[in-house]
């Protein structure tokens, strides 16, 4: 069991007492409460506390027999608990009340005698309402019962969850403590920077900096930094990794420092795999057994696709980096008890239909249904037709269909996968025994009890057909048979999510060029990037080996991918390489240019690397709408590559097929892909493998030993990582000359007194947006444009353009990231009257400036700013810089039609006010141009603000309208009062 050291104010908020609210939000009152009342200290779970502290030292980090204590390059073991935690334990042990559910602590016997351990038994509560709960809600219930001390987690919270059917429609708030936290390096670097900065701030506040330590296991996988610089080469992996280390040596050294400076943190080095596949195949426990206490695995991660682990029956979802940092420090997560959509699957996929086709279909259905802020739970007889990898593919794209989770309860398929991936027989037996005993296991061989869901959807798997999604959004599904017609529609349509507005007379334009001496040509729709990439698909052997079979058939028939198509293969783990080699498929992929380029996100995150200069010039000089086809999960404009305006998501086999065709302007049912070696036309049907062919190769090539050997090797690091020298010490020595790691300004001049509510008066509109502004628009992760404010900053500090790296790699430097905020070259700001790009109008002067320059002009003049936006503001990756950046630019509020879940939470966490227009209203219907000045009538005292209350917004032009303030919980109000979540946590820890 892991100790959780949460702040007292949060616990008081749990009480939600109106008499307490006014006291909670001011520092002097908190101080008095600390002095006068024991319960205002940190609360701990009420089981044996000395055992709990010991468990932090002794809990096994892995769930499958690898001796994690032996590695020399990673953290060899979880460090001894900091003395400050021991002091907390001694002070708190007598304060938290006993767990009121201790009588429900039940022994779980082993079949051969003895016991696996003890667990909090849901059946022993004898409450018939629990039997109807969705499995995903049962995990929340178990957590609340296990952590209940009537302090941090109250009996009333447990009752809310048990009564989920009645309470969830009321948007009630509950606390949740995840078992662990998962990070990747793009989001992990700023998280560790913040923790290092918080240690400094703690010192300045006169408190103990060692209070800043993760109190739950934290796993950080470095997978977002590798770029596709070298392709079509047997040496591509090594060459790209060398470049990765050259660019990121400072970042990697910082993370290696963090793994030694902070307790309970494990860093998996570059070249190991994609975080979600490593989580699925290795890190996921499914059930924890900590010092004899059994409980379900659960995780929050700083990557939105953390949901992939839901396919393994582990409750996991993405949160912002700032939320994750608070969770690491023991802050209980406050969440609205979600509704659960029951998604029934029946039937069987047709021959040749892939899991990617299924997930794109599910994504479109759920987007249409509306599942933002909800769990989706899959069930039905069709579940038996889906492999664990297929389930993980569907769970992975939860952010694309908008759900918090896409959950697959544990069943026999899950257990088989655990054995396949090297988890020990004893571990799997314990998992099954625990889940069966606690009514969390689904056995489809037994009659199924009817469960209650908030709403229902159903899909016959036989109705799924081959498809893609694009050209600009993951939920814009296009059936393969309609692709050519849809493409021509996109050329005709006005500029938008499904349009490029290419005049008819220019649609057949041909751009001729020379590719390394070879005559070549591009047209609208020509494929210039074909990437087998991303966590969504590279964990699935059926689609990966299916891609190999397509390549094999094409080679045998004499088809060859054109040399100017940038092809790449980036597996999610070393296991993929092993089974591609075992099956013999890798050689055929290599022949088609799909050599392995590295182990990481690559093209899907925008690390696609440069196109050949001749190709780039042909596109730019002739204004060609070039296409990328990738097996990814995100295809937002400007994300994959600046020069590919059309980006389609497709299964790995389809990626190979479109690479062979060289264009998306093709009807695969009627038109040949190319001409074979015998001069005959080759059609799609000639190279497409059957489901049976794929299954045979999977059966013979994917072996348990591959997983075991891969993850034994992962703990040994690699020579480049092992040779990194890092500083010692618990406080970081900031280098003022560094352009990668910079001390952020969040805690400068911070005092123990919270600043209180900040009003918004006479603010200018910095940007006026339409719908679907993503975090890629707000805080791009890709390349740094040569003329941008960030480029200017780097050049002034002696950084050559070739060494700019990406925005994502520089997230440890707030100076770069503030300049990179709203720097996406495809962003559309209504203030620019149709012009596309990262600029805005400085309203007082009428100047057209880069967004950063305009924001600094407002800040220098002491003028606040707001942002106007449409629906789905902040969709996409769970990118905390999309909230940190606007805060540093001086943005005080965002008024939108709707927000993506994580981004709204991140805005609150950074002290920015999120507001929603009333239904049916937006900036256009209200006649707002963005040239007005805005005043938001927020109460001046935090005690007078209620979650979800209405406020009036007025403009200097005389307009007035009502908005809903999107502080959704009492805890979020406390964060706002303190200026942000990290400030809130710091003040409370400092006073303990």
């Amino acid at each position: 069991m892991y100790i959780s050291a949460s702040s007292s104010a949060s616990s008081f908020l749990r009480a939600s007492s109106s008499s307490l609210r006014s006291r909670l939000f001011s520092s002097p009152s908190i101080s008095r409460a600390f002095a006068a009342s024991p319960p205002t200290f940190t609360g701990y779970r009420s089981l044996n506390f000395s055992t709990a502290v010991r468990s932090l030292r002794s809990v096994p980090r892995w769930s499958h027999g690898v001796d994690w204590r032996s590695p020399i390059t990673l953290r060899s073991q979880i460090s001894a608990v900091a003395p400050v935690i021991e002091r907390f334990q001694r002070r708190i042990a007598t304060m938290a009340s006993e767990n009121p559910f201790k009588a429900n602590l039940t022994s779980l016997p082993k079949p051969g005698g003895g016991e696996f351990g003890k667990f909090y038994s849901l059946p022993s509560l004898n409450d018939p309402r629990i039997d109807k709960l969705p499995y995903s809600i049962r995990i929340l219930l178990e957590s609340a019962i296990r952590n209940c001390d009537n302090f941090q987690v109250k009996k009333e919270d447990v009752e809310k969850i048990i009564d989920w059917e009645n309470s969830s429609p009321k948007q009630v708030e509950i606390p949740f403590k995840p078992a662990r936290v998962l990070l990747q390096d793009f989001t992990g670097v700023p998280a560790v920077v913040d923790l290092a900065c918080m240690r400094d701030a703690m010192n300045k506040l006169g408190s103990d900096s060692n209070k800043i330590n993760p109190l739950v296991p934290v796993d950080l996988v470095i997978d977002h930094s590798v770029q596709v610089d070298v392709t079509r080469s047997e040496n591509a992996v090594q060459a790209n990794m060398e470049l990765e280390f050259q660019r990121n040596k400072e970042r990697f050294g910082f993370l290696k420092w963090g793994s030694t400076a902070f307790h309970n943190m494990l860093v998996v080095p570059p070249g190991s795999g994609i975080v979600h596949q490593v989580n699925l195949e290795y890190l996921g426990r499914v059930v924890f057994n900590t010092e004899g206490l059994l409980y379900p695995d659960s995780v929050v991660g700083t990557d939105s696709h953390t949901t992939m682990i839901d396919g393994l029956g582990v409750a996991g979802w993405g949160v912002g980096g700032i939320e994750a940092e608070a969770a690491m420090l023991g802050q209980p997560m406050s969440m609205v008890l979600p509704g659960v959509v029951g998604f029934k699957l029946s039937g069987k996929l047709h021959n040749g239909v892939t899991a990617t086709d299924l997930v794109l279909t599910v994504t479109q259905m759920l987007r249409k249904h509306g599942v933002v802020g909800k769990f989706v739970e899959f069930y039905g007889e069709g579940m038996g037709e889906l492999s664990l990898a297929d389930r993980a593919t569907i769970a992975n794209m939860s952010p694309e269909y908008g759900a918090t989770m896409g959950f697959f309860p544990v069943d026999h398929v899950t257990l088989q996968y655990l054995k396949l991936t090297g988890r020990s027989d004893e571990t799997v037996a314990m998992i099954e025994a625990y889940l069966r005993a606690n009514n969390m296991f689904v056995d489809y061989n037994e009659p199924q009890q009817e469960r209650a869901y908030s709403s229902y959807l159903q899909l016959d798997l036989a109705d799924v057909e081959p498809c893609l999604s694009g050209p600009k959004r993951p939920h814009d599904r296009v059936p393969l048979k309609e692709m050519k017609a849809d493409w021509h529609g996109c050329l005709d349509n006005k500029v938008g999510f499904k349009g490029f507005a290419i005049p008819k007379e220019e649609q057949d334009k041909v751009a001729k060029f020379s590719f390394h001496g070879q005559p070549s040509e591009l047209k609208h729709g020509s494929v210039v990037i074909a990437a087998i990439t991303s966590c969504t698909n590279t964990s699935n052997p059926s689609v990966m080996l299916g891609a190999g079979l397509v390549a094999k058939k094409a080679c045998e028939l004499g088809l060859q991918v054109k040399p100017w198509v940038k092809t790449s293969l980036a597996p999610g783990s070393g296991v993929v390489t092993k089974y591609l080699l075992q099956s013999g498929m890798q050689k055929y992929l290599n022949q088609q240019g799909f050599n392995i380029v590295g182990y990481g996100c690559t093209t899907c995150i925008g690390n696609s690397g440069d196109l050949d200069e001749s190709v780039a010039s042909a596109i730019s000089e002739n204004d060609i709408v070039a296409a990328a086809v990738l097996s990814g999960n995100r295809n937002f404009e400007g994300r994959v590559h600046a020069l590919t305006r059309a980006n389609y998501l497709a299964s790995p086999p389809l990626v190979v097929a479109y690479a062979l065709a060289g264009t998306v302007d093709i009807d695969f049912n009627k038109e040949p892909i190319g001409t074979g070696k015998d001069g005959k036309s080759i059609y799609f049907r000639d190279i497409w493998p059957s489901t049976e062919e794929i299954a045979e190769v999977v059966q013979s090539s994917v072996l348990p030993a591959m997983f075991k050997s891969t993850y034994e090797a992962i703990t040994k690091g690699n020579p480049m990582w092992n040779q990194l020298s890092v500083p010692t010490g618990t406080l970081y020595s900031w280098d003022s000359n560094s352009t990668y790691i910079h001390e952020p300004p969040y805690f400068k001049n911070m005092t123990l007194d919270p600043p209180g509510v900040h009003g918004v008066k006479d603010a200018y509109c910095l940007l006026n947006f339409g719908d679907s502004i993503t975090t890629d628009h707000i805080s791009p992760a890709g390349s740094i444009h040569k003329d941008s404010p960030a480029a200017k900053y780097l050049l002034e500090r002696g950084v050559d353009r070739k060494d700019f790296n990406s925005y994502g790699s520089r997230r440890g430097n707030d100076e770069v990231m503030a300049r990179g905020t709203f720097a996406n070259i495809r962003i559309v700001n209504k203030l620019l009257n149709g012009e596309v790009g990262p600029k805005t109008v400085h309203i007082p002067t009428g100047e057209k400036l880069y967004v950063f320059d305009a924001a600094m002009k407002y800040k220098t003049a002491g003028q606040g700013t707001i942002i106007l936006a449409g629906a789905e503001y902040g969709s996409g990756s769970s990118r905390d810089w999309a909230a940190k950046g606007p805060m540093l630019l001086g943005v005080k509020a965002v008024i939108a039609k709707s927000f993506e879940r994580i981004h709204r939470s991140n805005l609150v966490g950074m002290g920015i006010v999120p507001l929603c227009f009333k239904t049916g209203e937006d900036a256009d219907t209200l006649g707002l141009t963005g040239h007005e000045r805005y005043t938001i009538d927020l109460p001046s005292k935090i005690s007078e603000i209620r979650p979800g209350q209405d406020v009036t917004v007025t403009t200097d032009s005389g307009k007035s309208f009502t908005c809903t303030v999107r502080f959704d919980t009492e805890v979020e109000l406390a964060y706002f009062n303190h200026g942000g979540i990290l400030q809130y946590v710091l003040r409370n820890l400092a006073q303990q």
Side-chain angles (χ1 to χ4, degrees):
M1 181 172 71
Y2 293 97
I3 299 174
S4 178
S6 158
S7 60
S8 60
S10 168
S11 304
F12 271 122
L13 285 169
R14 308 264 10 102
S16 240
S17 159
S18 58
S19 63
L20 285 173
R21 289 180 89 252
S22 60
R23 299 206 327 257
L24 274 171
F25 296 113
S26 64
S27 179
S29 301
I30 291 177
S31 301
R32 288 196 298 273
F34 267 81
S37 174
T40 60
F41 288 110
T42 306
Y44 288 85
R45 302 172 189 173
S46 61
L47 291 174
N48 184 306
F49 287 96
S50 60
T51 300
V53 174
R54 282 201 312 275
S55 72
L56 271 167
R57 297 193 187 100
S58 59
V59 58
R61 286 295 281 114
W62 312 113
S63 55
H64 23 270
V66 175
D67 180 7
W68 60 270
R69 292 177 177 81
S70 62
I72 56 173
T73 58
L74 300 178
R75 285 200 53 75
S76 61
Q77 57 183 7
I78 299 174
S79 304
V81 180
V84 65
I85 302 175
E86 300 277 10
R87 292 201 300 275
F88 283 179
Q89 180 267 326
R90 288 195 294 272
R91 293 170 66 189
I92 301 310
T94 58
M95 297 176 186
S97 64
E98 276 197 326
N99 190 316
F101 297 97
K102 65 177 182 179
N104 301 93
L105 202 57
T106 304
S107 175
L108 182 67
K110 285 185 177 179
E115 67 171 20
F116 287 113
K118 291 183 169 55
F119 68 100
Y120 282 93
S121 170
L122 302 186
S124 70
L125 294 172
N126 294 317
D127 193 320
R129 292 175 296 176
I130 295 175
D131 295 332
K132 294 185 68 180
L133 289 179
Y135 287 97
S136 49
I137 298 299
R138 295 181 198 189
I139 292 175
L140 301 183
L141 175 60
E142 187 282 337
S143 174
I145 289 171
R146 175 166 38 88
N147 292 307
C148 186
D149 58 1
N150 278 324
F151 182 43
Q152 289 187 346
V153 182
K154 301 170 73 68
K155 283 189 75 172
E156 290 91 329
D157 297 314
V158 173
E159 172 58 26
K160 287 176 191 174
I161 302 172
I162 292 175
D163 198 38
W164 169 84
E165 205 170 348
N166 296 312
S167 57
S168 67
K170 300 173 185 175
Q171 297 286 291
V172 300
E173 177 191 352
I174 61 164
F176 177 64
K177 295 183 180 180
R180 56 191 176 95
V181 173
L182 186 70
L183 309 173
Q184 38 90 335
D185 56 300
F186 267 19
T187 51
V189 167
V192 179
V193 165
D194 289 351
L195 291 175
C197 189
M198 289 174 80
R199 279 192 171 172
D200 291 343
M202 191 67 84
N203 267 357
K204 292 171 186 173
L205 290 173
S207 192
D208 186 351
S209 62
N210 284 320
K211 291 179 182 178
I212 306 299
N213 255 316
L215 299 178
V216 296
V218 177
D219 300 308
L220 191 158
V221 181
I222 301 176
D223 69 345
H224 273 53
S225 298
V226 63
Q227 297 185 31
V228 187
D229 293 296
V230 178
T231 61
R232 293 178 176 252
S233 165
E234 296 283 352
N235 189 47
V237 173
Q238 182 66 20
N240 287 325
M241 186 178 287
E242 287 174 1
L243 288 166
E244 178 185 8
F245 269 82
Q246 286 173 24
R247 293 181 180 122
N248 298 285
K249 183 178 179 181
E250 192 177 343
R251 294 172 63 241
F252 292 170
F254 176 69
L255 289 175
K256 197 172 180 182
W257 167 81
S259 71
T260 58
F262 295 101
H263 302 302
N264 230 2
M265 181 180 289
L266 179 98
V267 176
V268 177
S272 302
I274 298 177
V275 57
H276 307 305
Q277 189 158 348
V278 175
N279 193 23
L280 192 73
E281 295 175 352
Y282 189 49
L283 298 173
R285 281 76 154 173
V286 185
V287 172
F288 270 86
N289 186 347
T290 305
E291 289 286 306
L293 180 66
L294 296 126
Y295 53 96
D297 187 4
S298 59
V299 59
V300 293
T302 56
D303 189 284
S304 51
H305 294 103
T306 299
T307 54
M308 189 169 190
I309 200 68
D310 301 342
L312 194 66
V314 174
W317 59 86
V319 297
I322 46 184
E323 283 184 288
E325 291 161 35
M328 289 181 217
L329 296 172
Q331 176 77 2
M333 290 181 58
S334 180
M335 60 185 289
V336 174
L337 185 62
V340 182
V341 177
F343 199 121
K344 186 175 183 179
L345 297 171
S346 60
K348 183 178 181 179
L349 292 173
H350 279 304
N351 185 32
V353 176
T354 68
T356 314
D357 302 322
L358 172 58
V359 72
L360 296 179
T361 302
V362 168
T363 297
Q364 185 183 48
M365 288 178 66
L366 287 169
R367 268 282 173 186
K368 185 177 180 181
H369 186 75
V371 293
V372 172
K374 298 176 183 176
F375 291 174
V376 176
E377 186 166 296
F378 294 89
Y379 70 102
E381 62 271 22
M383 293 280 280
E385 299 295 330
L386 297 181
S387 69
L388 195 291
D390 292 345
R391 298 174 183 191
T393 299
I394 296 169
N396 176 281
M397 286 191 73
S398 293
E400 281 67 48
Y401 46 80
T404 303
M405 282 206 303
F407 189 73
F408 290 80
V410 176
D411 61 11
H412 286 106
V413 173
T414 319
L415 301 179
Q416 290 164 8
Y417 180 83
L418 292 172
K419 291 180 180 179
L420 170 68
T421 50
R423 275 78 162 190
S424 70
D425 289 344
E426 183 177 359
T427 296
V428 176
M430 177 199 73
I431 290 169
E432 181 177 5
Y434 168 77
L435 294 174
R436 282 186 181 276
N438 224 8
N439 285 354
M440 293 180 173
F441 186 86
V442 182
D443 191 335
Y444 286 104
N445 296 319
E446 298 174 356
Q448 295 297 299
Q449 178 161 347
E450 191 74 21
R451 290 181 295 283
Y453 292 109
S454 308
S455 60
Y456 296 82
L457 278 177
Q458 184 167 345
L459 173 65
D460 185 340
L461 297 176
D463 292 338
V464 178
E465 58 184 335
C467 57
L468 302 86
S469 279
K472 301 181 183 182
R473 295 190 300 185
H475 53 281
D476 290 334
R477 187 178 70 90
V478 185
L480 185 63
K481 64 187 179 185
E482 298 174 15
M483 183 63 186
K484 186 180 179 76
D486 191 84
W487 171 250
H488 282 273
C490 289
L491 292 179
D492 291 334
N493 295 341
K494 67 178 183 180
V495 174
F497 298 123
K498 295 289 289 187
F500 299 103
I502 304 299
K504 285 284 188 185
E505 63 273 15
E506 294 184 19
Q507 290 184 11
D508 295 323
K509 181 197 308 183
V510 178
K512 295 185 180 294
F513 66 103
S514 175
F515 181 82
H516 299 273
Q518 179 178 344
S520 311
E521 63 180 43
L522 294 178
K523 300 178 181 179
H524 294 304
S526 288
V527 173
V528 295
I529 291 177
I532 300 174
T533 179
S534 151
C535 52
T536 304
N537 287 293
T538 60
S539 66
N540 194 324
S542 64
V543 293
M544 295 301 288
L545 289 166
L549 285 168
V550 171
K552 179 176 184 287
K553 289 172 182 280
C555 288
E556 291 169 347
L557 291 168
L559 288 182
Q560 189 66 40
V561 176
K562 297 290 191 294
W564 58 81
V565 179
K566 186 167 187 178
T567 45
S568 62
L569 166 57
S573 82
V575 177
V576 179
T577 303
K578 285 182 170 66
Y579 63 65
L580 286 174
L581 290 171
Q582 170 79 16
S583 64
M585 295 299 145
Q586 187 62 58
K587 72 175 180 180
Y588 298 111
L589 287 164
N590 289 351
Q591 287 177 40
Q592 295 296 349
F594 288 94
N595 298 81
I596 295 175
V597 296
Y599 298 88
C601 300
T602 61
T603 305
C604 188
I605 192 64
N607 289 351
S608 50
D610 291 334
L611 292 175
D612 186 270
E613 284 187 18
S614 64
V615 176
S617 297
I619 294 170
S620 301
E621 293 168 8
N622 296 279
D623 198 24
I624 294 292
V625 182
V629 183
L630 65 153
S631 63
N633 47 49
R634 298 270 165 82
N635 56 342
F636 302 125
E637 206 170 8
R639 179 187 177 99
V640 174
H641 194 284
L643 294 176
T644 58
R645 279 191 271 170
N647 301 281
Y648 286 93
L649 306 182
S651 66
L654 270 182
V655 170
V656 178
Y658 273 103
L660 289 161
T663 181
V664 296
D665 185 8
I666 184 172
D667 183 340
F668 277 150
N669 285 343
K670 299 175 182 177
E671 298 176 71
I673 286 178
T675 304
K677 56 190 175 186
D678 58 1
K680 291 183 179 178
S681 294
I682 306 299
Y683 289 84
F684 179 77
R685 59 181 173 269
D686 298 322
I687 62 170
W688 198 251
S690 69
T691 301
E692 289 72 22
E693 285 178 275
I694 294 172
E696 280 181 26
V697 180
V698 171
Q699 186 70 28
S700 62
S701 305
V702 183
L703 307 172
M706 295 175 176
F707 293 89
K708 188 170 184 182
S709 62
T710 297
Y711 288 107
E712 283 173 347
I714 213 174
T715 61
K716 297 172 185 171
N718 60 63
M720 284 180 272
W721 175 261
N722 297 347
Q723 289 164 15
L724 280 177
S725 60
V726 297
T728 57
T730 58
L731 295 178
Y732 189 70
S733 299
W734 304 98
D735 179 358
S736 59
N737 295 318
S738 172
T739 56
Y740 276 103
I741 308 297
H742 184 264
E743 184 177 8
Y746 314 134
F747 311 115
K748 283 185 179 176
N749 306 316
M750 179 177 164
T751 66
L752 286 173
D753 295 321
V757 174
H758 71 70
V760 180
K761 184 172 176 59
D762 291 331
Y764 285 98
C765 177
L766 181 63
L767 296 145
N768 183 3
F769 292 129
D771 294 343
S772 295
I773 291 296
T774 71
T775 52
D776 283 294
H777 289 118
I778 304 168
S779 182
S783 59
I784 298 171
H785 193 273
K786 61 183 177 64
D787 298 322
S788 66
K792 181 181 177 184
Y793 170 86
L794 292 171
L795 289 168
E796 287 172 351
R797 281 150 186 80
V799 179
D800 291 336
R801 186 182 166 194
K802 65 180 176 59
D803 297 320
F804 279 1
N805 212 331
S806 64
Y807 282 113
S809 67
R810 292 190 179 271
R811 285 181 183 163
N813 188 318
D814 58 281
E815 296 282 2
V816 173
M817 296 311 295
R819 288 164 173 78
T821 303
F822 301 109
N824 188 305
I825 62 171
R826 298 291 179 196
I827 201 165
V828 178
N829 171 18
K830 294 179 183 178
L831 293 177
L832 296 178
N833 296 319
E835 183 180 335
V836 176
K839 293 189 177 182
T840 194
V841 174
H842 180 251
I843 303 299
T845 62
E847 292 177 272
K848 186 170 70 175
L849 303 169
Y850 280 107
V851 175
F852 174 79
D853 295 332
M856 292 305 101
K857 204 158 187 173
Y858 285 124
K859 282 190 80 171
T860 301
Q863 297 161 337
T865 55
I866 61 103
I867 290 170
L868 296 176
E872 299 176 342
Y873 183 76
S875 57
S877 301
S878 56
R879 202 163 285 176
D880 56 338
W881 266 113
K884 288 178 176 177
M887 184 275 291
L888 292 174
L889 295 186
V891 173
K892 303 300 182 186
V894 179
I895 310 175
K897 288 173 71 175
S898 63
F899 292 91
E900 190 275 338
R901 176 184 65 85
I902 298 173
H903 185 63
R904 184 207 62 79
S905 177
N906 280 349
L907 290 174
V908 174
M910 293 311 297
I912 296 174
V913 185
L915 301 104
C916 278
F917 291 108
K918 286 297 182 180
T919 302
E921 295 183 345
D922 59 22
D924 292 338
T925 63
L926 292 167
L928 305 173
T929 65
H931 289 263
E932 308 86 354
R933 299 186 74 171
Y934 294 79
T935 296
I936 300 169
D937 186 22
L938 269 178
S940 59
K941 294 180 181 179
I942 198 70
S943 58
E944 295 172 2
I945 304 176
R946 297 288 184 273
Q949 80 176 53
D950 287 347
V951 296
T952 301
V953 182
T954 56
T955 70
D956 63 341
S957 63
K959 293 184 184 297
S960 176
F961 55 98
T962 302
C963 286
T964 301
V965 179
R966 287 297 309 279
F967 297 126
D968 288 358
T969 66
E970 299 278 355
V971 172
E972 288 186 344
L973 286 171
Y975 297 160
F976 180 59
N977 189 59
H978 280 256
I981 188 172
L982 299 182
Q983 292 86 343
Y984 169 79
V985 171
L986 254 180
R987 288 192 179 97
N988 284 290
L989 284 175
Q991 295 181 78
Q992 290 172 351

